[in-house]
Amino acid sequence: MCGPAGSGKSTYARMLEPAGYVVLSFDAEAWELGHRVHPLPADVMQTVHDRLQNRLTELVTRGDRVVVDTSFWSRISRERYRDILAPLGVTPTVYYLDTPRDVLLGRLRARSNAGPDDVHVPAEQALAYLDGFQKPSPDEGPLRIIRHEPDTLRLPG
């Protein structure tokens, strides 16, 4: 899953679970480690990614289908996961959630820090996330763009 905070990544990832996917969530992992404030320090981010990548490798090696729920905000962040999967013979498909900016900002304003999918993101930080986000492109590898109107997220038919 790829998209800025508030794009619907976690919702979409959970929709894939009934199809047999295991969801690995950056936010859930950080929450489990006790982190409630974003952005996370660089060392904590690395720890969370290390844990996700180790689990991803284990699951893929045993043949499970996996969806990684994190922003993948930069091309290099997506390449790092591709590099981990390549030796296993796996070419991941990036599902990019193309969500309108006003919808993202509204969702983030409504967050209350009640859980890992509800981490409060201050307005200034939300804008920085959006402005710094590098959209994936087809030259990176398989890409599915999921465009949706507010609150109408559906699996592609």
Side-chain angles (χ1 to χ4, degrees):
M1 299 307 314
C2 175
S7 63
K9 296 180 305 296
S10 298
T11 299
Y12 196 92
R14 281 192 300 276
M15 291 169 58
L16 294 170
E17 285 179 312
Y21 283 84
V22 176
V23 176
L24 299 179
S25 166
F26 182 91
D27 290 336
E29 192 71 30
W31 191 269
E32 184 178 309
L33 292 171
H35 300 282
R36 306 291 187 263
V37 178
H38 284 233
L40 298 175
D43 62 323
V44 172
M45 287 178 56
Q46 187 58 54
T47 296
V48 172
H49 279 295
D50 289 347
R51 289 174 64 139
L52 290 178
Q53 292 166 358
N54 289 336
R55 186 75 177 125
L56 175 62
T57 301
E58 290 170 15
L59 291 166
V60 168
T61 298
R62 76 176 197 206
D64 289 337
R65 294 167 42 169
V66 181
V67 59
V68 179
D69 173 13
T70 188
S71 69
F72 286 114
W73 72 271
S74 68
R75 184 178 184 134
I76 196 163
S77 67
R78 296 183 292 272
E79 288 174 358
R80 285 183 182 131
Y81 276 75
R82 283 188 190 95
D83 290 345
I84 288 166
L85 293 169
L88 302 174
V90 174
T91 302
T93 298
V94 171
Y95 282 68
Y96 167 58
L97 278 88
D98 186 9
T99 306
R101 186 178 181 94
D102 61 324
V103 173
L104 292 167
L105 293 172
R107 288 177 180 169
L108 294 176
R109 273 193 304 273
R111 289 185 173 185
S112 63
N113 242 38
D117 298 335
D118 191 48
V119 173
H120 176 71
V121 179
E124 225 173 86
Q125 188 64 46
L127 292 171
Y129 285 165
L130 290 173
D131 294 341
F133 188 83
Q134 298 172 3
K135 292 182 181 179
S137 61
D139 68 307
E140 294 180 38
L143 173 64
R144 305 268 317 256
I145 298 173
I146 309 299
R147 291 183 177 95
H148 65 92
E149 296 301 317
D151 302 317
T152 60
L153 195 57
R154 288 184 286 281
L155 292 172

